């Protein structure tokens, strides 16, 4: 309850501020804020209230020992509540596939996004497109200077623009029961400071990376989309300083959220150092550029660290308060590939304790109808 009243107080202030500035403009007629603006206001209200919304990838699609079971969620099974944010991945949308790269049917995803929106939750999207030269996965870096080669080849640029258009068409198809566009966060070209994706740091110049954002954004703007909140998310790799974090920043006109992708590989000291360098830079960038900060991807695969949520994640969020945090998926078919405790896992109580923190928000905490 405490969490909800905090958010609503902040939302009321945000709404009043927007309303007041409009009244000062004699020419202005009452303009409905776009779905994207409303989501930004909501995220800003979390940040202003000292709340971090918790997110989980593919939460209602599958979990440990279940797949595509109506309204199921490992997070809900353990805490009694859905995550505030569900992330979905668009990989293979660019090829017009019926299922994304981990097998989730796009029709199912679209329906789940509408359901989560209806229950007051927030949806976000990542995208692992294939390598346009080989048709191999996002991790296929065999083509060397891939970004440089794409940008020097107008047919390839056209291919990428068409692919971004397919991602945009999917986003355009996200509608609530009244036919209104559902707001989503979109986090394209993520972890670009790493070397594992074909758009990574060794694949081209900063300018060529920024071109990717321009091509992508144009496809969305050409379709008149007004429901997208854009997230920039460097990985901790090759980010020691603020300048490293900002080195491939596409610009304020392209970004709403300053993210950071930082995983825990079992060493606390290392995790803390990465968090301070990368998430610390995201928080500073958000402050200096008037954006929202987030820990856009994190987790400890297989929860090999006892009490990871309370002992590692919570202290990181206390040092660097951000509007949201997202952990990766609970995969039923890759043994040990999970990031939240499931029923019967020894970390259940730790995760419930994390859920109960006054600074951490799950779905019912952010539902404005409650
Ligand atoms: C990775 C793993 C893979 C998956 C990919 C895209 O982190 O979870 O199994 O295919 O993300 O979702």
């Amino acid at each position: 309850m405490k969490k909800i009243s905090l958010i609503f107080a902040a939302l009321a202030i945000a709404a009043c501020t927007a309303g007041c500035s409009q009244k000062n403009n004699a020419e202005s007629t009452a303009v409905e804020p776009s779905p994207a603006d409303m989501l930004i206001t909501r995220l800003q209200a979390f940040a202003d209230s000292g709340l971090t919304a918790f997110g989980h990838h593919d939460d209602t699609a599958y979990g440990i020992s279940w797949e595509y079971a109506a309204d199921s969620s490992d997070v809900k099974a353990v805490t009694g509540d859905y995550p505030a944010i569900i992330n979905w991945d668009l990989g293979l949308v660019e090829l017009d596939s019926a299922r994304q790269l981990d097998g989730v049917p796009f029709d199912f995803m679209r329906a789940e996004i509408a359901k989560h929106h209806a229950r007051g939750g927030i949806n976000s999207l990542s995208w692992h497109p294939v390598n346009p030269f080989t048709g191999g996965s996002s991790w296929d870096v065999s083509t060397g200077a891939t970004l440089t080669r794409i940008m020097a080849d107008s047919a390839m640029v056209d291919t990428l623009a068409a692919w971004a258009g397919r991602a945009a068409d999917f986003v355009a198809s996200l509608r609530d029961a009244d036919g209104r566009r559902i707001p989503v966060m979109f986090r394209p070209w993520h972890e670009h400071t790493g070397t594992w994706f074909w758009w990574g740091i060794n694949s081209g110049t900063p300018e060529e990376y920024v071109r990717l954002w321009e091509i992508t954004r144009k496809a969305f703007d050409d379709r008149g989309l007004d429901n997208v909140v854009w997230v920039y998310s460097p990985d901790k790799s090759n980010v020691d300083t603020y300048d490293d974090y900002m080195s491939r920043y596409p610009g304020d006109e392209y970004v709403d959220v300053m993210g950071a992708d930082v995983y825990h590989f079992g060493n606390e000291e290392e995790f803390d150092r990465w968090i301070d360098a990368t998430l610390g830079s995201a928080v500073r960038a958000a402050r200096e550029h008037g954006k929202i900060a987030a820990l856009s991807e994190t987790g400890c695969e297989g929860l090999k660290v006892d009490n990871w949520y309370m002992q590692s994640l919570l202290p990181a969020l206390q040092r660097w308060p951000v509007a949201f945090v997202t952990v990766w998926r609970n995969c039923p078919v890759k043994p040990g590939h999970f990031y939240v405790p499931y029923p019967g896992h020894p970390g259940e109580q730790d995760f419930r304790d994390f859920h109960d923190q006054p600074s951490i928000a799950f779905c019912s905490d952010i539902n404005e109808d409650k």
Side-chain angles (χ1 to χ4, degrees), residues 4 71 102 186 223:
I4 300 169
D71 303 319
D102 296 316
F186 184 38
R223 286 159 177 79

Side-chain angles (χ1 to χ4, degrees), residues 222-296:
D222 284 351
R223 286 159 177 79
L225 294 184
D226 62 354
N227 56 332
V228 183
V229 171
W230 296 83
V231 185
Y232 171 70
S233 59
D235 182 84
K236 55 94 188 50
S237 289
N238 299 304
V239 175
D240 295 321
T241 66
Y242 180 73
D243 286 349
D244 294 337
Y245 176 90
M246 293 300 282
S247 66
R248 292 176 176 230
Y249 181 60
D252 285 352
E253 64 279 34
Y254 289 97
V255 172
D256 302 300
V257 176
M258 299 290 197
D261 283 21
V262 184
Y263 278 83
H264 192 302
F265 294 106
N267 181 321
E268 196 62 42
E269 183 273 324
E270 176 186 75
F271 180 65
D272 287 350
R273 188 159 37 82
W274 289 339
I275 284 284
D276 290 347
T278 317
L279 190 59
S281 294
V283 168
R284 176 176 159 194
R287 193 175 56 235
E288 292 186 4
H289 291 255
K291 307 291 181 185
I292 291 157
L295 182 50
S296 36

Side-chain angles (χ1 to χ4, degrees), residues 15-87:
C16 170
T17 310
C20 292
S21 69
Q22 280 190 6
K23 266 188 232 138
N24 288 339
N25 178 354
E27 304 264 331
S28 79
T29 50
V31 178
E32 275 273 296
S34 69
D37 287 342
M38 286 164 76
L39 178 50
I40 290 171
T41 300
R42 217 173 160 199
L43 295 169
Q44 188 61 56
F46 302 160
D48 293 346
S49 319
L51 282 180
T52 300
F54 178 77
H56 184 215
H57 181 57
D58 278 353
D59 184 73
T60 55
Y62 53 76
I64 301 302
S65 57
W66 62 272
E67 283 181 281
Y68 310 114
D71 303 319
S72 295
S73 152
D74 281 353
V75 167
K76 183 162 188 276
V78 171
T79 67
D81 201 353
Y82 290 102
I85 297 171
I86 302 183
N87 188 69

Side-chain angles (χ1 to χ4, degrees), residues 1-12:
M1 289 304 123
K2 198 167 16 172
K3 298 177 190 176
I4 300 169
S5 49
L6 268 174
I7 295 176
F8 295 150
L11 273 176

Side-chain angles (χ1 to χ4, degrees), residues 315-332:
L317 296 172
Q318 284 168 337
R319 280 204 309 288
W320 302 108
V322 291
F324 66 90
V325 56
T326 309
V327 300
W328 207 239
R329 65 202 195 111
N330 275 18
C331 178

